[in-house]
Structures are given as C-alpha cells and as structure tokens.
Amino acid sequence: MLQDVRALVFDVFGTVVDWRQGVAREAAPFLARHGAAGADPAAFADAWRRRYSPAMEEVRSGRRPFTRLDVLHRENLEQVLPEFGIDPARVPEAELAELNLAWHRLDPWPDSVAGLTRLKAGYIIAPLSNGNIALMLDMAKRAGLPWDAILGAEVAQAYKPSPEAYLRTAEVLGLRPAQIALVAAHNGDLAAARRCGLRTAFIPRPTEHGPGQTTDLRPEQDWEVVAESLEDLAGKLGL
Amino acid sequence: MLQDVRALVFDVFGTVVDWRQGVAREAAPFLARHGAAGADPAAFADAWRRRYSPAMEEVRSGRRPFTRLDVLHRENLEQVLPEFGIDPARVPEAELAELNLAWHRLDPWPDSVAGLTRLKAGYIIAPLSNGNIALMLDMAKRAGLPWDAILGAEVAQAYKPSPEAYLRTAEVLGLRPAQIALVAAHNGDLAAARRCGLRTAFIPRPTEHGPGQTTDLRPEQDWEVVAESLEDLAGKLGL
C-alpha cells in the first residue's frame, strides 16, 4: 500500500493534535482576566489561527527571511487581541509569552499516541509541521508523542506548502521523495506533497474547525491511503 | 547539580556509541573481500576516523559550504582505501555506499540505552553530534536510542567545536545556553560548550580509541558533573 516507503511524516496542527480546543482552553482564563469574559474562546482560537497562513505567506513569498512560528504566533497574537477589546501593550509581557505557549500545549486526538506508537515500529516517524522545533518538542514531551526526530519548517527553512519544505525534508532523511509518505488531514497539504513526489495518507479530522466544519471532510484526490484515524492507519499498514 | 538545565545534548561518536569497534566490524569482511585480509580492521577504523576532523575543518574555516557528514565520510573512505592497498575506483559503487553506512550502524555502549531512557524522564534529550540527521536516525532506530529530537551539526549548519554549533542549538531549543548541558567523553568538546555558556557533564570512555588510549581518560576542568556512565549520570541527577 505504501511500498518502498520508509518514513512517515506528519502534519501536526489538526492532524495529530486538536489546536482549536487546546488554544481555547488556554485562552479562556486569559480573556476573562482581561475583561473579555463574554468572548468565545474557540472564536478567539479561530481568529488567532486565521492569521497563520498570511503570516507564513510573507516568508513563502520571499518578502521576509525565514522566521520561526513562535515569533509569527506572537506577532499574530498582538494583532488579534484588539479584535477582542484587549490592548496588548497593557498586558504584562510574561502573560503574553505564556499565552503564546498555548500552541506548545495542545492535546493529541484520542488515537494519536497509540497510532504513532504502532507506526513507529515499522517506519521512521517525524513531524513535517510548520511548527518550530521547540514548539514540537514541548508538545511531544507533554503529550507523549513518540517521534523519532523533529523535522519540518525550521529544519527545512521553508514553510509548507512550498516545495522546499517537502524536498529538503527528503534530502535530510537521505531518502527519495517516493520513500516518504505525508500523513495529513488537509487535502491541500497532501496535494503539495504529491507534486513533490511524496506518497500520501489522508486522515479526516471532521471537528478540527469545530462542529460546523465544511472543509477537508473527504479525500479530494486518490490518496494512496485513506484511514479513519492514526490507529486505523497503523492497521491498514499491517502494524 | 545541573540547576535550571532543561535539555541534555549529547556527543554521540565515542560518548553514546562505540564507533571504533562498529566500523571495524563492518570493515572486516569488506577488507577480506578486496585483498586486504591481513589488515587490522580496527586500524582501518582509526585511519578512516583520522580524516574526520580535517574534513570538517574545511567547513569550520569557511573554505567549504556546510556539507553533511555522510558526504565527508564517503570522501574520506575513498582517500583511506589506497592506504590499505585498495583502489576505490575498482570497488562497485554499491559496496562503497554500503560500507559508508557503517557509521549508521554503531552499537551503543552497554549503559547508553538504559541511561538515556532514565534521563529522558527528566530532560529533553537530543544528540548534539557532528553526524547528520539521517545517520543519527538510522543509528537510533537500530540501537533503540530514545532521543526526543535529532539536533546537531546539520540543524545548526555548523560543526563542533564552532560556537555556532552550540549557540544555534540553544536557539532552536528556545533555551538559554545555561539551560542546556552537553554530555561528552571529550574534554575539548566540553570546553567549547562551556565557552558558549552551556553546562557540562563528562563521561570517560577509556576504550573509545582501543586498549592503548591515552586521551580523555580524566576530566581536565571542573565540569559540573563527572559520571562513570550514562546510568551513573542518571543516578547523579536523581533519575
């Protein structure tokens, strides 16, 4: 099914962990403390996340040198707080730094740790995330994600879906792109990986964006594998 | 003892794994096949390793752009074979490539896996080796080294003992140098790390260079920790 594949690389935000509920959980007491108790913490998570792709686009376009995601998240946080009536200049620095670490403390989906543990027995497993190394490490230590290595944007010095993010990851692994499969809940990420020659596995995460999610509910191409969860993926790969 | 330290980073060749016996084991059948059956495989390992530091010095000095260790090892192999009466041009490419992977298949010292496993419970653990990512990953998967991440020269794009190797590793971890300790069997590596502000732990490996070893038998500075093995280090750190 994934013949010749030696490494599985994973999208993380949405595919392995639930960023929306995790950020909302961390934001709720912060919002309450700063006079936005009426705000919906999940809407705050969505608003913060909405600035994610445009911020990376500055790097992808070459307008800005590579800048790690912790820095972009912090800039985005300072931009989004006023939308919720909070002036970041009046929030103590330590509190802003702490809230920015919400992204380091996201919970895995219920099948993630068990699925990754099984997959690790047959493959090199590593994140190919836009998250930086320290973020991925903190998350993995807290959640028990058993990665073999932390790869991704910071190692490749390029953000997905730029081809360099996938191709430099293959180079670093010493593998041909066809010996690597990307596992992701996002059709766009898989399409970009496939254009670079990687194999692809789709896992739908129908509540990543909350109960009303309309995107990425189904595979949009004939991905090599479609599985219900990381445990299901392990089973389909004979592990 | 290592107050405030959150990450332990490790020298690998010599400190975690026994490169000399591992390379000798892989070289022995190769030498026999190519008419050098009388050669001492350990002497071959020493000769190959002797070209390690000069090759990296080309990069450290800026005379050559960063080049990963697998490539330097391969160049060094082709230079060392004639010393043993073997013309690399007459050896099939696949055999040279295979012998070059000897460095991916080194055995850990007897205490390494158990020691790292204990240390992982209290710290981020990662190699800070001059070995490249694919090399470290293959070694870890084969030997069961439970790294949290693969850091080192290829991530830092600098070879130890250049300061950038230590300082960029700290930057990637999002930590101050004093929050990181280097664990190494080599006084020179520890001295370079200390000059960058890292904490230091010395583990003697008195047979790294074989039975007649004369270097690095004792700590040459007041390193923060001196331990007999990685298991002993774990004990000294209360793990």
Side-chain angles (χ1 to χ4, degrees):
Chain A
M1 189 173 267
L2 288 179
Q3 221 184 332
D4 298 332
V5 166
R6 289 195 47 214
L8 301 178
V9 294
F10 295 76
D11 175 65
V12 173
F13 299 121
T15 302
V16 177
V17 300
D18 179 354
W19 60 265
R20 188 172 187 264
Q21 291 201 64
V23 170
R25 178 196 69 224
E26 301 260 336
F30 177 95
L31 293 169
R33 246 189 343 265
H34 293 280
D40 174 7
F44 179 80
D46 289 337
W48 197 354
R49 178 72 170 183
R50 210 171 291 129
R51 294 172 177 273
Y52 170 76
S53 193
M56 290 187 298
E57 189 55 29
E58 290 297 300
V59 174
R60 286 190 290 248
S61 66
R63 285 190 294 272
R64 184 174 185 179
F66 184 81
T67 306
R68 65 175 59 100
L69 190 61
D70 274 339
V71 174
L72 302 181
H73 273 155
R74 173 60 188 264
E75 294 172 0
N76 293 346
L77 174 61
E78 295 187 31
Q79 288 168 12
V80 83
L81 283 171
E83 293 177 23
F84 290 75
I86 299 170
D87 176 0
R90 304 187 58 175
V91 178
E93 165 58 29
E95 277 198 64
L96 292 173
E98 192 62 21
L99 182 55
N100 205 44
L101 291 175
W103 298 92
H104 294 222
R105 300 190 199 107
L106 304 176
D107 289 333
W109 299 108
D111 54 281
S112 292
V113 172
L116 289 174
T117 302
R118 287 167 63 188
L119 292 165
K120 182 174 179 160
Y123 299 89
I124 292 168
I125 60 166
L128 200 183
S129 166
N130 284 333
N132 51 297
I133 293 173
L135 189 167
M136 286 291 131
L137 251 174
D138 283 350
M139 177 194 286
K141 292 292 269 189
R142 176 179 175 280
L145 304 173
W147 302 124
D148 286 309
I150 307 287
L151 304 178
E154 191 173 7
V155 174
Q157 296 280 299
Y159 278 118
K160 298 187 294 180
S162 294
E164 291 76 16
Y166 309 96
L167 294 173
R168 286 187 198 146
T169 297
E171 202 187 327
V172 150
L173 286 167
L175 297 174
R176 287 175 288 108
Q179 294 177 294
I180 301 171
L182 177 70
V183 181
H186 308 127
N187 286 283
D189 196 0
L190 294 173
R194 175 174 273 185
R195 283 192 293 272
C196 293
L198 279 74
R199 302 296 178 236
T200 52
F202 178 73
I203 316 280
R205 294 299 192 185
T207 62
E208 174 187 356
H209 295 281
Q213 182 167 329
T214 56
T215 55
D216 288 318
L217 297 173
R218 274 169 295 276
E220 292 167 11
Q221 291 187 37
D222 58 334
W223 310 123
E224 278 80 10
V225 191
V226 175
E228 287 309 303
S229 67
L230 294 180
E231 289 234 66
D232 184 34
L233 177 63
K236 286 193 156 76
L237 297 179
L239 291 166
Chain B
M1 188 174 269
L2 288 180
Q3 220 183 333
D4 297 333
V5 166
R6 290 196 45 215
L8 301 177
V9 295
F10 295 76
D11 174 66
V12 174
F13 299 121
T15 302
V16 177
V17 300
D18 179 354
W19 59 265
R20 189 173 186 261
Q21 290 201 64
V23 170
R25 179 196 68 226
E26 300 258 338
F30 177 94
L31 293 169
R33 247 189 343 265
H34 293 281
D40 175 7
F44 179 81
D46 289 338
W48 195 355
R49 179 72 170 183
R50 211 170 291 130
R51 294 172 178 276
Y52 170 76
S53 193
M56 290 187 300
E57 188 55 28
E58 291 297 300
V59 173
R60 286 190 290 247
S61 67
R63 285 191 294 271
R64 185 176 183 178
F66 184 80
T67 307
R68 63 175 61 102
L69 191 60
D70 274 339
V71 175
L72 302 182
H73 272 155
R74 174 58 188 265
E75 294 172 0
N76 294 347
L77 174 61
E78 295 188 29
Q79 288 168 11
V80 83
L81 284 172
E83 293 178 21
F84 289 75
I86 299 169
D87 176 1
R90 304 186 59 174
V91 178
E93 164 58 29
E95 277 198 64
L96 292 173
E98 191 62 22
L99 182 55
N100 204 45
L101 292 176
W103 298 93
H104 294 222
R105 299 189 199 108
L106 304 177
D107 289 334
W109 299 108
D111 54 279
S112 293
V113 172
L116 290 175
T117 302
R118 286 167 63 187
L119 292 165
K120 183 173 179 160
Y123 299 89
I124 292 168
I125 60 166
L128 199 183
S129 167
N130 284 332
N132 50 297
I133 293 173
L135 189 167
M136 286 292 131
L137 252 174
D138 282 349
M139 177 194 285
K141 291 292 269 188
R142 178 180 173 279
L145 304 172
W147 303 124
D148 287 310
I150 307 287
L151 304 178
E154 192 172 7
V155 174
Q157 295 281 298
Y159 278 117
K160 294 188 297 180
S162 294
E164 292 77 14
Y166 309 96
L167 294 173
R168 286 189 198 144
T169 297
E171 201 187 327
V172 150
L173 286 167
L175 298 174
R176 287 176 289 106
Q179 294 177 294
I180 301 172
L182 177 70
V183 182
H186 308 127
N187 285 283
D189 196 0
L190 295 173
R194 175 174 274 185
R195 283 193 293 271
C196 293
L198 278 74
R199 302 298 179 234
T200 51
F202 178 72
I203 317 280
R205 294 299 192 184
T207 61
E208 174 187 357
H209 295 281
Q213 181 167 330
T214 57
T215 55
D216 287 319
L217 297 173
R218 276 169 291 276
E220 291 167 11
Q221 291 188 37
D222 58 333
W223 309 124
E224 279 79 9
V225 191
V226 175
E228 288 309 304
S229 67
L230 294 180
E231 289 234 69
D232 184 34
L233 177 63
K236 286 193 155 78
L237 297 178
L239 292 167

